[in-house]
Amino acid sequence: MNQFLFQMADFLSRPPGFYFVIVAMIVSTALVPFGLTNVITYALSVAAIVITSVVLIQGYRDTAAIHAKLDEIIVSMRETRNEVVGLEHEQPERIAAAVERLEAEAENQAKAGTSRLDR
């Protein structure tokens, strides 16, 4: 089932999938005068839910790939701290605390760099 969902997400995230959705909407609109309004409304509602799910799946895949790439960069650099690898799996409070700590460190480094330049 996962493979099917990933394939559908891939198809609908490309131009042919978009054109398929446009054609389905045009066909649905053309059927309204024949008294099929309830069926069309139901079908379009289901299609909207499916497309939303597909977008979420595609977004999850993209985000997971970006995290893997960033983790690879962090691990490969000697100067970095590996404690941030996998931070995306932590509780929101822990993520916020880590971001706050890193921003404070960056600010302190910027101030230290500025004071060294002033000398």
Side-chain angles (χ1 to χ4, degrees):
M1 182 68 167
N2 287 348
Q3 187 64 25
F4 172 73
L5 291 175
F6 287 136
Q7 288 174 346
M8 188 184 339
D10 188 53
F11 173 73
L12 290 174
S13 66
R14 299 182 188 278
F18 178 77
Y19 298 139
F20 173 78
V21 170
I22 295 296
V23 168
M25 287 177 21
I26 291 170
V27 168
S28 297
T29 303
L31 293 175
V32 169
F34 298 107
L36 300 173
T37 307
N38 289 339
V39 173
I40 292 168
T41 302
Y42 175 76
L44 290 178
S45 297
V46 170
I49 292 168
V50 168
I51 290 172
T52 302
S53 300
V54 164
V55 167
L56 290 173
I57 290 169
Q58 191 68 21
Y60 168 78
R61 289 177 67 190
D62 291 346
T63 302
I66 289 169
H67 281 291
K69 291 173 185 177
L70 289 173
D71 289 348
E72 173 66 21
I73 292 169
I74 291 168
V75 170
S76 69
M77 296 180 70
R78 292 181 186 192
E79 297 85 29
T80 61
R81 295 165 298 195
N82 293 337
E83 65 201 39
V84 295
V85 172
L87 189 61
E88 68 274 9
H89 301 293
E90 294 294 333
Q91 296 297 321
E93 298 82 25
R94 188 163 186 291
I95 294 171
V99 168
E100 208 172 285
R101 180 180 47 83
L102 292 169
E103 287 175 348
E105 284 182 31
E107 188 175 319
N108 289 338
Q109 287 180 1
K111 287 179 183 175
T114 303
S115 64
R116 277 186 278 163
L117 292 175
D118 292 339
R119 293 182 198 168

